[in-house]
Amino acid sequence: MLVFKIVLIGIAGAILVMITKQFKPEYSIPVLLGICLFLIGYLTTGLEEVLKFVQSLQKEIPINNMYIKTLFKLLAIAYICQIASNICEDLGYRSISFQIETIGKVSILLLSIPIIQSLLETVEYLLVSS
């Protein structure tokens, strides 16, 4: 049901931005940003359940805490950059949107290097030991 509520709020917000843009264009950007922030805030209320699941999974499977933190950072970067990119594109700034996406992708690559190294070390260990 959470997705249904978010979709309805998003559609209502888009209609509100369109109406605001017709009558008071100078207010359309703050309204758009306010709706986006509200939706992000509404969505983050469900993160507690995800964190509980990860903690229970961590108890059952010995996973290094660094990998889980890195995974959440990667997801956060992806979502934040995508949302910011979409907002810039909606405002007509495609070049800024593209730059945000590119910086997000490079940041994800840089942050994932330790995980890739660990994976390669594990594969190398398995190949040598067999």
Side-chain angles (χ1 to χ4, degrees), residues 85-109:
S85 172
N86 289 344
I87 290 172
C88 289
E89 196 165 333
D90 286 347
L91 296 174
Y93 298 105
R94 290 193 62 150
S95 59
I96 296 174
S97 169
F98 177 75
Q99 295 302 319
I100 290 172
E101 287 180 7
T102 303
I103 289 169
K105 290 172 186 176
V106 171
S107 298
I108 288 171
L109 177 64

Side-chain angles (χ1 to χ4, degrees), residues 20-126:
T20 306
K21 196 171 195 174
Q22 287 178 350
F23 296 108
K24 292 282 189 177
E26 63 272 11
Y27 293 132
S28 64
I29 293 174
V31 170
L32 173 67
L33 293 176
I35 291 168
C36 289
L37 289 174
F38 175 78
L39 289 172
I40 291 169
Y42 195 74
L43 183 62
T44 56
T45 59
L47 287 180
E48 185 177 339
E49 191 172 323
V50 173
L51 292 174
K52 286 180 184 177
F53 170 74
V54 169
Q55 288 173 348
S56 68
L57 186 66
Q58 210 172 11
K59 290 177 185 175
E60 295 176 22
I61 303 170
I63 301 173
N64 190 342
N65 201 20
M66 180 200 73
Y67 296 130
I68 293 173
K69 285 182 181 179
T70 303
L71 178 63
F72 278 111
K73 286 179 186 178
L74 293 172
L75 289 171
I77 290 170
Y79 284 126
I80 290 168
C81 288
Q82 185 66 49
I83 291 167
S85 172
N86 289 344
I87 290 172
C88 289
E89 196 165 333
D90 286 347
L91 296 174
Y93 298 105
R94 290 193 62 150
S95 59
I96 296 174
S97 169
F98 177 75
Q99 295 302 319
I100 290 172
E101 287 180 7
T102 303
I103 289 169
K105 290 172 186 176
V106 171
S107 298
I108 288 171
L109 177 64
L110 291 173
L111 195 58
S112 65
I113 288 175
I115 295 175
I116 295 170
Q117 286 176 333
S118 177
L119 179 64
L120 291 175
E121 289 171 3
T122 304
V123 169
E124 181 182 4
Y125 174 77
L126 291 174

